[in-house]
C-alpha cells in the first residue's frame, strides 16, 4: 500500500464500474462447439459409462468369510449385499472388458476354455484375458490399419451392427472396450491369431490420444486375447483402487463364472473360482439373503432350457432381483425379470385366492414384493435403457426364446418351506387388522404398565393432549416431575425400553407380538386406515406426540424409529 504505483498496478474496477460494464458476450465460436467423439465421451461421460462421481448404495459384492477373531477363512467364497461407495463409470469400463471376454465364448464355443482376471490393487492395473478365438491380425483393406487397432482404438467399430443376424453377445453399439481405453492412462491390446501364426501387441496412452506402432511377431500356440489397462484415476476423482471397488470387481468375476457354462474355467488373481454353474452362484448369495431377512431361505432353482435359468425365494416385503442378459449384469432388471416374476405372481395369485376366500383380493403387485428372483438369460440382439445397460428393454416377443416355468416348479414356490404364500397372507391379515390391535378413543387404556395417562386423554379435549415418550424409566421420572408444574390434564408419559422396533424391516408377526409398538398404537388411539385430517386428529386419544430422548446417537435413532413407526402405520 505504500507503493505509489499500487493503485495503477493492482486496481480493480469499483462496484459502480462493474455494475455499468456490459455483460460479457460469448463469441459464436465459444457458444457453438464441435467435439470429436472421444472428446464428447470425456465431456459427457454419463451418456456412455455413467457418473464419474462416487455413489453410495447397497450393492452385491464379494466378501471373504471371517472367523470370530476376524481372520479370513481359507477357501471362503461369499457374495453379500452391503452399503458401499463406488464410481459407476469406473465399474462400467471394467465391465465392458469383462463382457467382451465372455462374448468370445459365443463366438468360439468349442475352443474357449478359460477367462483369467487379475486385479492388482497396489499397482492400480487390471488385466482380463481369454483363450477364445483371437482377433484377426490382418490389415483392414478400407481403413488401412490392423483389425485389433481398428476395434480397440476407434469408436463406433463393431462386428455387432448386422441386426438381421441373431446375436447373443453383450456388445451392440460399437463403444465397449474403447470407453475403457478413453478412460485409461495406458491400455494394452495383446492378441494371437493361430490362423496366420502371428501375435499382435499395441499400447494406447493419454486417454486414447497416443499409440505405439503395433508389434507383430511369429506365434504358434493357441489363440488368446488379453487386455491390460491402467484407469485414469483423476477422471474418477480417485487416487487408486479402493477396497469397495475391488470387492465389486471381484463380484463381477464371480458373475462370469456363474453365467458361463462349466466348460469355461474362470480364474481370479491366479485362482480358479469354485463356481461351475448358475445354481452354484445363487448358493453363494443365499447366506447374505438369510442374514438380511433374518430366517432360513429355501431357494427353488430350475434350468428351464439352455437360455434360461431361474431361482426364486421369499423376500421380506421388498422385491429383490439379481439378473443377467448375455453375461451383462442388469442391476435394475428389465423385461426379462418381469417375464419371470409375472409367471410366478400369476401362479401364486391363484393359490392365495383359495386360502384367502374371506379376505380382500390380493393382486400381483402385492405378491411381487415378497419375491427374490435370480435370472440368467440369453437374449437375441438385446436392447437396453442406456449404454450402461442397467435394464433390458427388449420386448418379450423379441427374446428369441421362451421360458415357461413348469407347474412342478410353481407348485414348489407355493409350499410352506419357501414361505412366499404365508408372507403374503400375513400381510393381508395385518392390513385387515387381524394382527395386533388398533387404537380407539377410549377414556382409559387398560393393561399398559408404566403409562401415566393424561386426565383429558380420550375425551373431547384429547386433541390438546401430548403424549411424552421418554428414553427409559429415568427420563420418565424427570418428565413426571415436570407434571407437578404443568399439570396432568394435558400431558401423559410412557417410557420406552430402549430403541423401538424398526417396523419397516420387521416381519409382521414380530410387529404383532411387540408389546411396545402395540402399546404406542393403543395409547395414541391410532387407526391404520384413517386419513387423519385436521378434524380427524380429534378422534385420537392424543393430538400431539413428544419424543424426549438424550441428545446423542441413540436418542437420534430413537427419534427416527418413532417417526418411522408413525409414517409406516399411518402416513397421514
Amino acid at each position: 500500500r505504500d507503493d505509489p504505483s499500487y493503485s495503477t498496478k493492482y486496481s480493480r474496477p469499483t462496484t459502480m464500474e462493474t455494475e455499468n460494464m456490459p455483460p460479457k458476450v460469448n463469441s459464436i465460436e465459444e457458444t457453438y462447439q464441435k467435439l470429436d467423439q472421444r472428446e464428447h465421451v470425456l465431456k459427457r461421460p454419463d451418456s456412455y459409462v455413467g457418473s464419474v462421481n462416487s455413489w453410495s448404495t447397497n450393492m452385491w459384492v464379494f466378501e471373504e468369510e471371517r472367523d470370530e477373531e476376524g481372520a479370513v477363512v481359507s477357501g471362503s467364497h461369499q457374495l453379500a449385499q452391503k452399503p458401499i461407495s463406488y464410481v459407476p463409470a469406473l465399474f462400467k469400463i471394467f465391465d465392458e472388458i469383462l463382457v467382451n471376454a465372455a462374448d468370445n465364448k459365443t463366438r468360439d464355443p468349442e475352443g474357449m476354455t478359460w477367462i483369467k482376471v487379475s486385479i492388482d490393487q497396489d499397482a492400480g492395473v487390471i488385466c482380463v484375458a481369454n483363450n477364445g478365438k483371437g482377433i484377426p491380425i490382418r490389415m483392414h483393406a478400407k481403413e488401412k490399419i490392423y483389425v485389433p487397432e481398428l476395434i480397440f482404438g476407434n469408436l463406433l467399430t463393431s462386428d455387432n451392427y448386422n441386426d438381421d443376424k441373431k446375436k447373443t453377445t453383450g456388445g451392440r453399439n460399437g463403444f465397449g472396450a474403447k470407453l475403457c481405453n478413453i478412460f485409461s492412462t495406458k491400455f494394452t491390446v495383446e492378441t494371437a491369431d493361430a490362423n496366420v501364426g502371428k501375435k499382435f501387441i499395441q499400447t494406447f496412452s493419454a486417454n486414447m490420444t497416443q499409440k505405439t506402432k503395433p508389434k507383430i511377431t511369429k506365434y504358434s500356440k493357441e489363440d488368446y486375447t488379453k487386455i491390460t489397462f491402467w484407469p485414469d484415476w483423476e477422471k474418477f476423482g480417485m487416487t487408486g483402487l479402493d477396497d469397495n471397488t475391488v470387492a465389486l470387481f471381484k463380484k463381477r468375476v464371480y458373475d462370469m463364472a456363474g453365467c458361463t457354462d462349466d466348460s469355461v474355467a474362470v480364474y481370479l488373481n491366479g485362482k480358479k473360482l469354485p463356481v461351475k454353474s448358475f445354481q452354484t452362484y445363487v448358493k453363494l448369495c443365499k447366506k447374505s439373503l438369510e442374514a438380511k431377512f433374518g430366517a432360513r431361505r429355501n431357494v427353488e432353482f430350475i434350468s428351464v432350457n439352455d437360455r434360461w435359468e431361474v431361482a426364486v425365494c421369499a423376500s421380506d416385503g421388498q422385491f429383490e432381483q439379481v439378473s443377467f442378459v448375455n453375461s451383462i449384469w442388469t442391476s435394475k432388471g428389465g423385461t426379462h425379470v418381469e417375464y419371470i416374476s409375472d409367471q410366478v405372481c400369476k401362479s401364486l395369485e391363484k393359490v392365495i385366492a383359495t386360502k384367502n376366500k374371506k379376505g380382500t383380493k390380493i393382486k400381483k403387485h402385492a405378491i411381487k414384493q415378497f419375491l427374490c428372483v435370480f435370472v440368467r438369460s440369453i437374449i437375441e440382439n438385446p436392447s437396453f435403457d442406456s449404454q450402461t445397460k442397467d435394464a433390458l428393454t427388449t420386448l418379450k416377443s423379441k427374446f428369441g426364446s421362451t421360458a415357461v416355468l413348469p407347474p412342478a416348479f410353481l407348485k414348489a414356490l407355493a409350499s410352506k418351506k419357501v414361505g412366499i404364500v404365508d408372507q403374503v397372507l400375513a400381510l393381508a391379515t395385518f392390513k385387515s387388522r387381524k394382527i395386533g390391535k388398533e387404537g380407539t378413543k377410549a377414556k382409559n387404556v387398560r393393561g399398559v404398565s408404566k403409562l401415566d395417562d393424561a386426565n383429558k386423554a380420550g375425551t373431547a379435549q384429547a386433541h390438546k393432549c401430548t403424549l411424552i415418550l421418554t428414553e427409559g424409566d429415568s427420563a420418565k421420572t424427570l418428565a413426571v416431575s415436570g407434571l407437578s408444574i404443568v399439570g396432568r390434564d394435558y400431558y401423559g408419559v410412557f417410557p420406552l425400553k430402549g430403541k423401538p422396533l424398526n417396523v419397516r424391516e420387521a416381519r409382521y408377526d414380530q410387529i404383532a407380538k411387540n408389546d411396545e409398538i402395540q402399546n404406542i398404537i393403543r395409547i395414541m388411539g391410532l387407526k391404520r386406515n384413517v386419513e387423519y385430517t385436521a378434524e380427524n386428529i380429534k378422534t385420537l386419544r392424543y393430538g400431539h406426540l413428544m419424543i424426549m430422548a438424550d441428545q446423542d446417537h441413540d436418542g437420534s435413532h430413537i427419534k427416527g424409529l418413532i417417526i418411522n413407526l408413525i409414517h409406516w402405520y399411518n402416513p397421514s
Side-chain angles (χ1 to χ4, degrees):
R1 288 175 183 167
D2 294 332
D3 182 354
S5 64
Y6 176 87
S7 60
T8 55
K9 285 167 67 179
Y10 303 109
S11 61
R12 296 177 180 174
T14 64
T15 302
M16 185 176 293
E17 287 172 333
T18 56
E19 287 177 350
N20 293 328
M21 283 181 178
K24 182 180 183 296
V25 178
N26 290 337
S27 67
I28 291 295
E29 289 72 24
E30 290 172 322
T31 303
Y32 301 100
Q33 301 177 35
K34 179 183 177 182
L35 301 176
D36 66 32
Q37 193 84 43
R38 190 196 66 85
E39 291 171 330
H40 193 266
V41 170
L42 291 172
K43 193 81 171 176
R44 294 289 182 265
D46 290 51
S47 301
Y48 301 92
V49 291
S51 175
V52 292
N53 298 312
S54 180
W55 283 18
S56 296
T57 186
N58 256 25
M59 296 283 277
W60 283 95
V61 296
F62 170 77
E63 187 175 67
E64 290 178 311
E65 196 172 347
R66 297 179 181 272
D67 60 25
E68 294 179 355
E69 297 178 356
V72 175
V73 177
S74 178
S76 65
H77 303 271
Q78 183 178 328
L79 301 180
Q81 252 184 326
K82 59 192 296 186
I84 68 164
S85 295
Y86 78 108
V87 177
L90 175 60
F91 171 69
K92 191 59 191 175
I93 66 168
F94 168 73
D95 198 46
E96 290 286 4
I97 301 300
L98 201 56
V99 170
N100 267 12
D103 281 351
N104 233 8
K105 178 64 178 176
T106 303
R107 298 185 181 100
D108 186 12
E110 301 298 326
M112 181 171 153
T113 58
W114 53 257
I115 295 174
K116 295 179 180 179
V117 181
S118 66
I119 302 168
D120 189 331
Q121 187 170 2
D122 294 331
V125 59
I126 299 152
C127 178
V128 179
N130 73 86
N131 69 334
K133 187 174 177 59
I135 299 162
I137 304 176
R138 298 174 186 175
M139 186 68 70
H140 194 281
K142 180 180 178 183
E143 304 298 336
K144 307 302 180 187
I145 56 176
Y146 281 97
V147 173
E149 179 180 341
L150 176 70
I151 64 176
F152 284 103
N154 294 269
L155 285 162
L156 304 180
T157 54
S158 175
D159 63 352
N160 293 313
Y161 287 148
N162 183 3
D163 288 341
D164 293 331
K165 186 178 180 181
K166 303 300 182 184
K167 290 178 176 284
T168 56
T169 52
R172 177 173 171 83
N173 298 320
F175 288 100
K178 279 80 75 175
L179 297 172
C180 183
N181 195 345
I182 290 172
F183 281 95
S184 297
T185 56
K186 188 177 175 184
F187 183 96
T188 298
V189 180
E190 184 176 334
T191 188
D193 181 359
N195 283 336
V196 295
K198 293 178 181 179
K199 183 169 77 172
F200 174 102
I201 299 177
Q202 186 176 29
T203 297
F204 297 82
S205 57
N207 310 112
M208 208 171 80
T209 60
Q210 300 172 14
K211 60 188 176 184
T212 62
K213 185 178 179 180
K215 181 181 179 182
I216 300 173
T217 56
K218 291 183 178 180
Y219 182 81
S220 59
K221 299 179 183 178
E222 69 173 357
D223 282 22
Y224 74 93
T225 300
K226 181 168 75 172
I227 303 297
T228 308
F229 64 98
W230 291 254
D232 187 343
W233 304 116
E234 186 179 344
K235 294 285 189 290
F236 307 112
M238 301 170 69
T239 56
L241 279 170
D242 55 41
D243 291 342
N244 281 341
T245 303
V246 171
L248 190 57
F249 283 6
K250 287 181 177 180
K251 178 263 179 188
R252 274 300 281 144
V253 181
Y254 274 81
D255 290 351
M256 286 300 157
C259 289
T260 52
D261 62 44
D262 59 4
S263 66
V264 178
V266 178
Y267 295 81
L268 175 59
N269 293 336
K271 294 181 179 179
K272 184 179 177 181
L273 300 186
V275 181
K276 295 183 178 180
S277 66
F278 190 59
Q279 186 172 13
T280 312
Y281 173 85
V282 172
K283 287 179 180 178
L284 293 180
C285 304
K286 185 179 176 183
K287 186 177 287 188
S288 177
L289 293 173
E290 291 176 345
K292 179 179 180 180
F293 298 142
R296 185 170 181 270
R297 297 284 133 171
N298 280 290
V299 182
E300 292 295 328
F301 175 87
I302 185 168
S303 180
V304 184
N305 50 50
D306 61 346
R307 292 195 175 189
W308 290 86
E309 291 184 289
V310 174
V312 180
C313 67
S315 80
D316 250 23
Q318 184 174 346
F319 179 67
E320 302 264 356
Q321 66 87 28
V322 177
S323 59
F324 304 93
V325 172
N326 304 356
S327 298
I328 296 168
W329 175 36
T330 43
S331 61
K332 296 179 182 176
T335 49
H336 57 317
V337 177
E338 292 170 9
Y339 175 51
I340 296 299
S341 59
D342 281 352
Q343 292 183 62
V344 175
C345 289
K346 284 179 182 178
S347 174
L348 294 179
E349 190 177 16
K350 295 175 183 177
V351 175
I352 291 167
T354 61
K355 297 187 176 186
N356 189 45
K357 292 179 180 178
K358 294 183 179 180
T360 57
K361 184 179 179 181
I362 301 172
K363 297 181 179 178
K364 283 192 297 180
H365 70 85
I367 299 170
K368 184 178 178 180
Q369 64 185 341
F370 287 98
L371 299 183
C372 178
V373 177
F374 293 80
V375 178
R376 183 195 71 83
S377 60
I378 303 295
I379 304 295
E380 293 179 356
N381 299 339
S383 56
F384 300 91
D385 59 339
S386 66
Q387 174 62 30
T388 55
K389 301 174 183 175
D390 296 316
L392 182 75
T393 57
T394 305
L395 295 174
K396 181 175 69 173
S397 59
K398 304 290 186 181
F399 285 169
S401 62
T402 58
V404 179
L405 301 179
F409 178 74
L410 295 170
K411 184 179 179 180
L413 293 181
S415 67
K416 275 192 170 293
K417 71 174 185 177
V418 175
I420 299 171
V421 171
D422 289 343
Q423 292 264 44
V424 176
L425 290 174
L427 173 61
T429 306
F430 184 82
K431 286 189 171 180
S432 64
R433 302 188 296 279
K434 292 176 183 175
I435 290 183
K437 294 182 179 179
E438 282 199 307
T440 60
K441 192 177 179 180
K443 180 67 178 72
N444 297 304
V445 178
R446 302 184 185 281
V448 180
S449 63
K450 298 187 178 182
L451 168 66
D452 278 29
D453 218 359
N455 294 333
K456 301 289 186 180
T459 70
Q461 299 294 310
H463 61 285
K464 298 179 182 179
C465 293
T466 298
L467 174 66
I468 305 172
L469 296 178
T470 66
E471 184 181 348
D473 292 340
S474 60
K476 180 193 172 184
T477 302
L478 178 62
V480 170
S481 68
L483 299 187
S484 62
I485 298 171
V486 299
R488 291 178 172 269
D489 282 350
Y490 296 103
Y491 290 91
V493 184
F494 181 64
L496 301 172
K497 297 174 184 177
K499 292 182 183 179
L501 179 70
N502 183 349
V503 292
R504 206 173 297 271
E505 293 185 358
R507 298 191 307 274
Y508 293 105
D509 59 333
Q510 287 179 306
I511 299 168
K513 294 173 183 176
N514 188 285
D515 289 338
E516 189 167 65
I517 296 298
Q518 296 302 323
N519 284 337
I520 292 171
I521 291 169
R522 290 178 63 206
I523 296 167
M524 288 291 294
L526 282 167
K527 291 181 180 291
R528 190 169 181 87
N529 295 320
V530 171
E531 185 72 19
Y532 284 109
T533 61
E535 187 62 30
N536 278 346
I537 289 290
K538 295 179 180 179
T539 65
L540 294 170
R541 292 192 76 252
Y542 284 86
H544 302 272
L545 184 68
M546 179 191 294
I547 302 166
M548 183 175 170
D550 291 340
Q551 189 173 301
D552 58 14
H553 289 299
D554 285 346
S556 182
H557 201 179
I558 288 168
K559 174 188 68 175
L561 289 167
I562 292 296
I563 295 171
N564 180 58
L565 163 63
I566 300 297
H567 182 266
W568 169 82
Y569 190 84
N570 196 304
S572 65

